[in-house]
């Protein structure tokens, strides 16, 4: 459009002098008879006038279009500059938004994982509740059967009491008849001394007053059973069942004797309730270095490397532990890319104080009662598991505290994960939470790929010997930062 406008303008500039010269020539010469040449020139002038008007109109349109085009270009440049400024201003905001989105994704992932954990715990609680309901139903059935048996026994006792009352009446009547016979004999031989007893008289008991039976005889079921065995069944009375003897396996004396002696025997079997627990550990030495976790910071983390190199179908984790707070945090956590809870001794401030979840392959877990560890003293802890029948054992200070079976039966802990002390992993090697951190001291920690025997646990707890074949110990510990302290001393009681 700019080139065509310049060409038109040059053409007009060429014709304008011609037009001015023609106009001046007409003014200089007086009008005369028009000749054909001038007529043609006049017509040409008229055409030029019309052409000039059209050209001016066209030039005005070109000028207006040129101004519009120039304004559009300027506006485009202005918009481009504004767009660039806006892009520069939006870059930090976009980076901040992307960071917030990353944090939000991490939080959503943690929330989903915790939601799965909560669902698994709810399922486990539901299963435990169902098993408890089944046990309660079975106990109610057994109690009902026992109640029926006691009711039958009461009916048997009542029948025996009725039989004994009838027997006492018979004894009184026989005594009266014997007394009458004696009187008749004395009347028949008034002047004869009392005859010597004959064999027939020797076999006849002397008529003595029937003694009133003591209260304990009426209330003693075994005595009634013996009486029932020597007495014939009387007509009109129900014959007691023959299984009463099977119900009464202990020797009953007078009323109240069995109820007093049996509890004392039961208490003796349970052990002395005043015995102190746990026992004093004594001087335990040669336990190696001590790791001190001073606070619940997520930076206080220790890795055991190289972790598990092969899959484990049995496991023993033993350590000396002393807590510095009123709760137990996470002692140990093993995570893989597939599952962040392959093996966890998980504690959290929202759990019952002293309660730790022993997790193998989330969501399965067992709750370990470790309340004795909250007294701020050193305690020896051993957690043992084997996939054979899913057995697990918990030892505290050499004593077996808890055991169960069918826990992860046939399961294998996979290799190639991240093993961490003092923190619970929500992702492999990270995702720590201060609410799950351990605060306290750990000494003599070791992990075996087999189930330790009770004698080996006792040797560990008394500081005598360390069982062979440990996969990992605190010699494999690598601190990743934070304020975890590694302290070396001689005896356990001297450590912080």
């Amino acid at each position: 459009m700019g080139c065509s406008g310049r060409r038109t303008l040059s053409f007009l500039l060429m014709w304008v002098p011609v037009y001015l010269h023609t106009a001046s020539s007409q003014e200089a010469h007086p009008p005369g008879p028009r000749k054909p040449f001038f007529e043609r020139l006049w017509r040409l002038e008229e055409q030029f006038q019309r052409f000039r008007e059209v050209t001016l109109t066209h030039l005005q349109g070109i000028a207006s279009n040129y101004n519009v085009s120039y304004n559009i270009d300027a506006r485009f440049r202005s918009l481009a500059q504004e767009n660039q400024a806006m892009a520069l201003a939006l870059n930090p905001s976009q980076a901040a938004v992307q960071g917030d989105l990353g944090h939000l994704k991490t939080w959503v992932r943690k929330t989903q994982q915790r939601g799965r954990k909560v669902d698994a715990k709810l399922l486990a609680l539901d299963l435990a509740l169902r098993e408890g309901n089944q046990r309660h139903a079975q106990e109610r059935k057994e109690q009902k059967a026992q109640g029926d048996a006691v009711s039958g026994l009461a009916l048997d006792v009542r029948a025996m009491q009725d039989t004994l009352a009838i027997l006492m009446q018979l004894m009184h009547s026989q005594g009266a008849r014997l007394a009458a016979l004696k009187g008749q004999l004395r009347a028949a031989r008034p002047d004869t001394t009392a005859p010597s007893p004959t064999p027939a008289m020797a076999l006849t008991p002397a008529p003595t007053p029937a003694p009133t039976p003591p209260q304990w005889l009426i209330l003693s079921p075994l005595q009634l059973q013996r009486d029932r065995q020597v007495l014939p069944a009387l007509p009109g009375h129900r014959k007691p069942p023959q299984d009463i003897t099977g119900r009464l396996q202990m020797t009953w004396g007078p009323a109240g004797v069995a109820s007093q002696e049996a509890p004392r025997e039961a208490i003796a079997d349970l052990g002395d309730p005043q015995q102190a627990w746990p026992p004093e550990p004594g001087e335990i030495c040669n336990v190696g270095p001590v790791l001190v976790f001073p606070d619940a910071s997520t930076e206080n983390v220790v890795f055991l490397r190289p972790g598990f190199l092969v899959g484990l179908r049995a496991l023993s984790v033993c350590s000396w532990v002393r807590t510095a707070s009123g709760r137990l945090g996470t002692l140990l956590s093993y995570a893989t890319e597939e599952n962040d809870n392959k093996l966890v001794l998980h504690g959290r401030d929202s759990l019952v104080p002293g309660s730790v979840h022993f997790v193998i392959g989330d969501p399965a877990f067992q709750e370990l009662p470790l309340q004795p560890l909250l007294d701020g003293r050193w305690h020896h802890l051993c957690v043992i598991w084997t996939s054979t029948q899913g057995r697990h054992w918990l030892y505290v200070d050499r004593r077996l505290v808890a055991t169960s079976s069918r826990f992860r039966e046939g399961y294998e802990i996979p290799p190639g994960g991240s093993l961490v002390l003092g923190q619970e992993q929500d992702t492999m090697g990270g995702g720590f939470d201060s609410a799950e951190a351990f605060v306290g001291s750990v000494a003599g920690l070791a992990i075996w790929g087999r189930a330790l025997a009770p004698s080996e646990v006792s040797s560990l707890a008394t500081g005598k010997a360390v069982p062979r074949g440990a996969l990992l110990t605190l010699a494999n510990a690598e601190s990743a930062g934070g304020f975890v302290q590694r302290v070396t001393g001689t005896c356990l009681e001297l450590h912080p």
Side-chain angles (χ1 to χ4, degrees):
M1 182 181 294
C3 295
S4 61
R6 285 193 294 270
R7 290 175 182 176
T8 306
L9 183 61
S10 300
F11 178 75
L12 291 176
L13 292 176
M14 291 172 60
W15 276 97
V16 165
V18 175
Y19 171 74
L20 294 177
H21 178 70
T22 305
S24 61
S25 300
Q26 289 179 359
E27 291 177 357
H29 299 282
R34 294 186 177 180
K35 295 181 179 181
F37 173 76
F38 291 106
E39 291 178 357
R40 291 177 61 187
L41 186 61
W42 180 254
R43 286 194 300 269
L44 184 62
E45 182 181 0
E46 290 178 352
Q47 292 175 2
F48 178 77
Q49 290 291 339
R50 288 193 298 270
F51 177 74
R52 186 181 66 174
E53 292 176 358
V54 172
T55 302
L56 289 176
T57 304
H58 185 64
L59 287 176
Q60 290 176 357
I62 290 173
S64 62
N65 291 334
Y66 178 77
N67 292 334
V68 170
S69 176
Y70 179 79
N71 292 335
I72 289 175
D73 292 339
R75 291 186 63 185
F76 271 122
R77 286 193 297 272
S78 176
L79 288 174
Q81 293 175 357
E82 292 177 359
N83 187 20
Q84 187 177 5
M86 289 178 64
L88 293 175
L90 287 176
N91 284 335
S93 301
Q94 187 176 5
V97 170
Q98 289 179 352
D100 293 339
L101 287 176
H103 291 303
L104 182 60
K105 289 180 181 178
T106 303
W107 180 82
V108 169
R109 185 171 60 253
K110 289 185 177 180
T111 304
Q112 290 175 349
Q113 292 175 351
R114 292 175 181 173
R116 287 195 296 270
K117 292 181 182 178
V118 171
D119 292 340
K121 292 177 182 178
L122 289 177
L123 289 176
L125 290 176
D126 184 44
L127 180 60
L129 183 61
R130 291 181 182 176
E131 293 177 354
N133 291 335
Q134 292 176 357
R135 287 196 300 269
H136 290 323
Q138 186 66 26
E139 290 174 358
R140 284 196 296 269
K141 290 180 180 179
E142 294 176 355
Q143 291 176 357
K144 185 178 180 181
Q146 293 176 358
D148 294 339
V150 171
S151 299
L153 182 61
L155 293 175
D156 295 339
V157 171
R158 185 175 301 174
M160 294 302 299
Q161 290 176 351
D162 296 340
T163 304
L164 184 59
I166 294 173
L167 178 62
M168 297 303 296
Q169 293 177 2
L170 292 175
M171 290 176 62
H172 282 293
S173 63
Q174 291 294 332
R177 290 179 63 185
L178 289 174
L181 288 174
K182 273 190 174 183
Q184 291 177 2
L185 288 174
R186 287 174 183 172
R189 298 180 182 182
D191 53 352
T192 306
T193 58
S196 60
T198 62
M201 294 177 63
L203 293 175
T204 305
T208 57
T212 303
Q215 182 69 19
W216 63 267
L217 180 60
I218 298 176
L219 298 177
S220 175
L222 187 56
Q223 184 67 30
L224 292 178
Q225 179 72 7
R226 289 196 295 265
D227 292 341
R228 184 181 65 81
Q229 292 174 353
V230 299
L231 291 176
L234 299 178
H237 291 275
R238 182 176 66 89
K239 184 178 181 180
Q242 300 297 324
D243 61 345
I244 299 179
T245 308
R247 299 177 192 168
L248 305 173
Q249 299 296 331
M250 60 180 293
T251 302
W252 288 63
V257 174
S259 62
Q260 296 173 3
E261 295 295 330
R264 287 200 295 270
E265 295 175 359
I267 292 175
D269 293 338
L270 291 174
D272 186 3
Q274 301 298 327
Q275 182 179 1
W277 190 90
E280 291 292 335
E283 295 229 354
I284 307 298
C285 300
N286 300 323
V287 295
V290 176
L291 296 182
V292 181
F293 296 81
D295 53 41
S297 172
T298 56
E299 297 180 358
N300 297 336
V301 56
V302 172
F303 288 88
L304 290 183
R305 293 193 171 99
F308 300 144
L309 301 179
V310 295
L312 301 180
R313 300 183 68 86
L315 183 80
S316 297
V317 180
C318 298
S319 176
W320 285 94
V321 179
R322 182 164 75 175
T323 60
S325 61
R327 64 175 177 86
L328 281 170
T330 301
L331 299 176
L332 179 143
S333 172
Y334 179 68
T336 63
E337 293 290 350
E338 176 188 1
N339 191 332
D340 60 346
N341 290 324
K342 284 297 185 182
L343 170 65
V344 188
L345 289 174
H346 174 251
R348 186 179 176 87
D349 56 5
S350 60
L351 298 178
V352 177
S355 176
V356 169
H357 288 174
F358 178 36
V359 183
I360 292 183
D362 192 28
F365 73 94
Q366 290 284 336
E367 187 166 352
L368 304 183
L370 295 177
Q371 286 79 10
L373 272 65
L374 298 179
D375 59 359
R377 299 168 57 192
W378 282 105
H379 293 274
H380 190 261
L381 171 68
C382 267
V383 180
I384 303 172
W385 168 81
T386 174
S387 63
T388 304
Q389 297 182 353
R391 297 293 305 275
H392 95 276
W393 299 266
L394 170 64
Y395 289 89
V396 177
D397 297 327
R398 297 187 300 169
R399 298 188 60 180
L400 181 62
V401 176
T403 183
S404 71
S405 60
R406 309 299 180 191
F407 173 53
R408 277 308 197 182
E409 183 177 2
Y411 184 77
E412 179 177 310
I413 301 174
S418 172
L419 188 58
V420 169
L421 300 181
Q423 300 285 347
E424 198 276 330
Q425 305 174 81
D426 283 338
T427 59
M428 185 173 172
F432 306 135
D433 189 346
S434 60
E436 300 168 326
F438 172 76
V439 181
S441 302
V442 175
L445 184 140
I447 301 175
W448 291 264
R450 60 184 179 89
L452 296 182
S455 59
E456 293 176 309
V457 175
S458 180
S459 298
L460 270 174
T462 54
K464 294 180 180 179
V466 177
R468 59 180 177 80
L471 299 178
L472 294 166
T473 65
L474 289 185
N476 303 100
E478 297 181 8
S479 177
F483 301 95
V484 179
Q485 302 175 9
R486 186 185 182 96
V487 182
T488 303
T490 55
C491 294
L492 194 63
E493 287 74 11
L494 303 178
H495 284 293

